[in-house]
Amino acid sequence: MSCITRVNCLKCSVLVCFLLFFQVSRSQSWAALDQLVTERQGKLGKNAVVLVLKGDSIVYKKELGDFNSKTVAPIASCGKWLTAALVMQFVEEGKISLDDKVAKYLPVFEKYNKNYITIRHCLSHYTGIKNETVVGKVIGARRYKTLEEEVDAFAAREIRVNAGEDFSYGGIGLNIAARVLEVVSKKKFEQLAKQKLFTPLGMRKTSFAESDMMRATNPSEGAVSNADDYMHFLQMLLNKGIYQGKRILSEASIKQLRTIHSKPQDMKFVPKGAEGFDYALGAWVVEKNGTLGTALACPGLFGSWPMVDWCHGYAYLVITKSLLGEEKAELHLDIKKIIDGIYPSTCK
């Protein structure tokens, strides 16, 4: 055997050993994730689906209890991310600007001296309008028959501080922005979401339409979806606005959705489980590089947790139906550590 042949054989052997080691290491990491999910199912949700997507492929799937990836469930505030993406489509089309005053489209805001609230304020929870109490939200959901009625009531509500002065998380801003889309398009919000977002993304079981037709659509907290559907949306975000070769959002819009809009000193009201996180447009910032979120999450009240990590190149999703508690944020971050170990960061 020649020297060159022996060298080439040695190189091949080293490469094969490396690939085998990497494969075993990755298998052990997935096993660790499987063990964590199983052991802490009580915290995650008795009935839940866990998915991890890398590129365009599902690389991990765990179905617990009576849930599978096709089970439709209410996703509460996970819908904020969907609504923010829909708003960005209108921005791309030149129909609105993030810095447009809401009163330009909804004169009722000028009537109540709320002229300075912008669409950007709405997507980042900086409207300054007093949030409703839990009881008030329940009563309001029954009282308002249309999104227009609800948003008109927001316009008449007491203002705590001037727009842009502090961050107060809630359902007001996203619903105002959604009403702007209705006025601009002359279509109902749920029709817009289906036409411009859900149909192009193949999200056939996702909807903002209320099963009770006597209640107003809730673009902030009223969506239903399943794991298969919502992962299509996360896949689009991860792939910088492209889903299965179709451009859904521009890279510029994805960057806007990732840009941090909150300031630590402004955080007036933050849910317990999100304390310490910044906020972008429609989603919380889990990790960041300067003013750009490198990992975003948009958890919902019932425990669902969608997340995209652009540095590690994956999307992670849990769909469940159990009340979200602050301890669940810690659980999802523990899960994230395991996945991060499988897919090292490509960011500098």
Side-chain angles (χ1 to χ4, degrees), residues 108-164:
V108 66
F109 279 81
E110 185 172 6
K111 174 184 175 182
Y112 288 103
N113 300 313
K114 295 181 177 65
N115 303 35
Y116 298 103
I117 299 173
T118 67
I119 296 171
R120 191 185 300 274
H121 290 145
C122 291
L123 297 188
S124 57
H125 304 288
Y126 271 85
T127 66
I129 297 174
K130 186 176 181 180
N131 274 329
E132 59 269 80
T133 63
V134 174
V135 173
K137 287 176 71 172
V138 173
I139 294 173
R142 295 172 180 169
R143 181 193 311 140
Y144 304 120
K145 302 299 187 293
T146 66
L147 184 59
E148 179 181 6
E149 285 183 20
E150 182 181 44
V151 171
D152 284 355
F154 290 159
R157 186 173 293 176
E158 177 186 348
I159 194 160
R160 296 180 302 98
V161 295
N162 292 328

Side-chain angles (χ1 to χ4, degrees), residues 22 71 89-90 94 146 148 163 213 258:
F22 185 72
T71 302
Q89 288 184 321
F90 276 73
T146 66
E148 179 181 6
M213 300 304 291
R258 294 173 59 186

